Amino acid sequence: MLTGPSPDAGLLTLLRVGSIQAPELLEANEILIAGGRIAALGRDLDVPAGWPVQVVEAPELIAVPAFIDQHVHVTGGGGEGGCGSRCPEITAHQIAAMGIGTVVGVLGTDGISRSPADLLAKVRGLRAEGIAAYMYTGSYRVPPPTLTGDLQRDLAWIPEIIGLGEIAISDHRSSQPRQDEIERLVSEVRVGAMLAGKRGICHFHIGDGGRGLEPLRRLLTETEIPAEQVIPTHVNRHRDLLEEAADYALTFKACVDVTAFDDADEDDLTGFGAVARLLRRGVPVERITMSSDCNGSLPEFDAQGSYIGMRVAGNATLIADWRRLVHEQVLTLDQALELISGNVARVLGLDGHKGRLAVGFDADVTLLDRTLTPQQTYVAGRCVYARGG
């Protein structure tokens, strides 16, 4: 359940835990929170006399940076089968219960009945409930729908907008953008982000079409756009695309985003299997992120491309696949944490205050039990989820 008051600069919170992974293991076992940020890390921390302090005793739990999910259909995705196939909105409870403190909202196929204005309203609603929420402007289609009528103005004037997405390519549901249109969009976002002091990434939905990542390869080869500006997601749709993603990451020193698909029919295409495969191909862990595609649709189409059914994606698979990477010793805990915290914060341009536990950073903390199951989630020092609470 959502619980606790908004953080108050005059109220301190002291978390006493079994261990702290920042993501590296620290000698400290206490986190002092003040004004929504981490004020100190250590052992037997001194609290100023006379200050009100809320002490949380959790000696059996592990404190880690709260997870960041960069691809969430917060207003619901779907719509490929008509109005009756629209997915529901996600709730703050569903987010925080998975240890996730930060989400980035996306539109998908439906940029008609759902709009960037709807998305912004939902993002601000999640913020009011304690979740750190951001959004991409745009949707699958080109030209993308915006709030102000201009991509650069969206980035410059709307704080919650951190980039453009998800633009669909190599997919029968995309608007089949030409190469010059893709290049113009990314260039517009780059300049708008520079003016706004943001990273301004372009988040690309990759379908299962035969062109795969070729439009992005051409973008990075034929223009001056840096690889960090472009994030392809859903790269584990099929084996050939995953293999291409490994080559793309290695060739351009680029990041790729693996989706923890609820409906992956083969183990090597799950979030777990895809990360393991990329690592075996030599892709450094710092160039891989994981996201959920939560509350997006899982549509089914026949051989002619006609819609035949749909399920709704959840975010439990993201955490299950992530835990499996540690349990099966594919990655150490500190490495695995980067996939859904530090690496994501860096990709999004939030790494100055999110993605690790350090003095001065946002007090976004998830407390895990020994099975790596989230038990409590704090965002800006506020407890937004406590299992059983």
Side-chain angles (χ1 to χ4, degrees), residues 17-49:
V17 297
S19 61
I20 299 174
Q21 298 269 171
E24 69 277 8
L25 179 64
L26 302 183
E27 294 184 2
N29 70 338
E30 294 182 350
I31 304 173
L32 184 63
I33 298 170
R37 295 185 178 269
I38 296 174
L41 295 158
R43 290 182 176 272
D44 301 318
L45 292 174
D46 292 327
V47 177

Side-chain angles (χ1 to χ4, degrees), residues 335-346:
Q335 291 173 321
L337 285 169
E338 298 284 25
L339 298 178
I340 55 174
S341 59
N343 291 355
V344 191
R346 187 187 73 250

Side-chain angles (χ1 to χ4, degrees), residues 222-276:
E222 299 173 6
T223 75
E224 297 74 34
I225 297 296
E228 68 178 18
Q229 196 82 32
V230 178
I231 303 299
T233 190
H234 313 323
V235 299
N236 49 319
R237 282 194 186 279
H238 54 78
R239 287 191 181 89
D240 289 346
L241 180 59
L242 185 59
E243 187 67 19
E244 185 183 4
D247 183 71
Y248 171 90
L250 292 169
T251 299
F252 296 103
K253 296 181 171 57
C255 285
V256 293
D257 186 53
V258 166
T259 302
F261 289 120
D262 276 3
D263 62 345
D265 53 8
E266 298 181 56
D267 192 53
D268 58 356
L269 294 178
T270 63
F272 165 82
V275 170

Side-chain angles (χ1 to χ4, degrees), residues 1-335:
M1 63 179 294
L2 298 175
T3 182
S6 298
D8 187 317
L11 175 67
L12 303 180
T13 299
L14 181 63
L15 303 181
R16 289 178 174 152
V17 297
S19 61
I20 299 174
Q21 298 269 171
E24 69 277 8
L25 179 64
L26 302 183
E27 294 184 2
N29 70 338
E30 294 182 350
I31 304 173
L32 184 63
I33 298 170
R37 295 185 178 269
I38 296 174
L41 295 158
R43 290 182 176 272
D44 301 318
L45 292 174
D46 292 327
V47 177
W51 281 57
V53 181
Q54 177 187 22
V55 179
V56 178
E57 299 284 357
E60 74 287 0
L61 301 181
I62 307 165
V64 302
F67 307 147
I68 304 172
D69 192 345
Q70 67 176 306
H71 190 112
V72 181
H73 293 272
V74 295
T75 57
E80 293 95 335
C83 293
S85 65
R86 287 160 45 104
C87 299
E89 294 188 359
I90 195 171
T91 67
H93 175 84
Q94 289 171 318
I95 294 167
M98 291 296 108
I100 297 165
T102 300
V103 295
V104 184
V106 299
L107 295 178
T109 311
D110 182 7
I112 302 299
S113 70
R114 290 184 168 112
S115 70
D118 298 324
L119 187 55
L120 178 60
K122 178 64 177 180
V123 162
R124 289 181 175 175
L126 289 172
R127 287 188 170 207
E129 294 184 82
I131 302 297
Y134 300 88
M135 63 177 280
Y136 304 112
T137 193
S139 69
Y140 270 23
R141 65 189 173 96
V142 175
T146 63
L147 277 152
T148 66
D150 182 86
L151 284 175
Q152 292 189 2
R153 283 197 290 267
D154 273 18
L155 281 156
W157 303 132
I158 302 171
E160 294 88 349
I161 292 179
I162 60 173
L164 170 68
E166 58 177 310
I167 297 294
I169 59 174
S170 302
D171 194 302
H172 67 94
R173 294 167 292 174
S174 83
S175 52
Q176 311 304 324
R178 300 187 312 269
Q179 189 66 32
D180 65 313
E181 291 178 305
I182 293 172
E183 292 172 6
R184 178 61 59 86
L185 284 176
V186 177
S187 300
E188 287 286 311
V189 171
R190 179 164 180 77
V191 174
M194 292 171 66
L195 297 175
K198 300 175 181 177
R199 174 64 51 81
I201 68 165
C202 293
H203 195 74
F204 280 91
H205 161 111
I206 312 299
D208 56 9
R211 285 175 293 175
L213 293 167
E214 181 59 22
L216 301 188
R217 286 178 170 276
R218 287 188 58 187
L219 173 74
L220 298 183
T221 300
E222 299 173 6
T223 75
E224 297 74 34
I225 297 296
E228 68 178 18
Q229 196 82 32
V230 178
I231 303 299
T233 190
H234 313 323
V235 299
N236 49 319
R237 282 194 186 279
H238 54 78
R239 287 191 181 89
D240 289 346
L241 180 59
L242 185 59
E243 187 67 19
E244 185 183 4
D247 183 71
Y248 171 90
L250 292 169
T251 299
F252 296 103
K253 296 181 171 57
C255 285
V256 293
D257 186 53
V258 166
T259 302
F261 289 120
D262 276 3
D263 62 345
D265 53 8
E266 298 181 56
D267 192 53
D268 58 356
L269 294 178
T270 63
F272 165 82
V275 170
R277 175 61 181 163
L278 290 171
L279 292 169
R280 287 196 301 270
R281 283 280 278 108
V283 178
V285 67
E286 60 266 24
R287 294 185 196 151
I288 307 171
T289 59
M290 296 178 71
S291 61
S292 71
D293 203 13
C294 186
N295 283 60
S297 64
L298 301 173
E300 297 180 23
F301 302 93
D302 63 19
Q304 288 71 47
S306 298
Y307 172 85
I308 58 176
M310 185 197 74
R311 293 187 295 110
V312 179
N315 58 8
T317 304
L318 173 64
I319 306 308
D321 282 352
W322 173 79
R323 283 202 308 259
R324 190 178 167 196
L325 288 165
V326 180
H327 291 159
E328 298 192 20
Q329 300 182 337
V330 175
L331 291 170
T332 59
L333 178 55
D334 58 328
Q335 291 173 321

